Amino acid sequence: MPPEKRNAVMVFQKPLLFPFMNVAQNIAFGLQRRNEKRDVIQRKVGRILERVGLPGFENKKIDQLSGGQQQRVAIARCLVLEP
């Protein structure tokens, strides 16, 4: 199977987040690319934010987060895809 077709994710040492999106939008990006339904995306994003210890951060901008929080958002963006 070619690499682009594999169900694998990667988190870089320096979080590569979209600065023009808020936390929830960053996490939801992969789910939207998979054409998940909006209500499913919202539920999964909320659940994964709880899991990484960032509940209530959905609307925060990336530049409002510490480096560690940004790293947790990057991890959440990968985990929400359930690799």
Side-chain angles (χ1 to χ4, degrees):
M1 178 180 290
E4 68 273 9
K5 300 281 185 184
R6 296 178 191 158
N7 188 20
V9 295
M10 182 173 22
V11 179
F12 294 95
Q13 182 71 26
K14 180 173 172 41
L16 298 175
L17 302 172
F18 299 114
F20 53 89
M21 294 181 179
N22 65 28
V23 169
Q25 291 168 330
N26 263 280
I27 295 171
F29 181 78
L31 296 171
Q32 291 168 339
R33 298 285 294 161
R34 289 184 175 177
N35 294 317
E36 294 270 355
K37 293 183 180 178
R38 188 177 307 218
D39 60 323
V40 171
I41 291 173
Q42 289 177 344
R43 188 172 57 250
K44 286 184 176 184
V45 168
R47 213 175 320 154
I48 204 69
L49 281 169
E50 289 281 340
R51 190 170 176 193
V52 297
L54 294 174
F57 279 63
E58 295 90 340
N59 296 315
K60 292 230 182 234
K61 296 181 183 217
I62 298 305
D63 64 358
Q64 294 176 308
L65 305 177
S66 70
Q69 290 168 330
Q70 289 179 18
Q71 190 69 27
R72 286 190 274 166
V73 171
I75 291 167
R77 187 171 60 184
C78 291
L79 290 178
V80 78
L81 298 174
E82 300 172 355

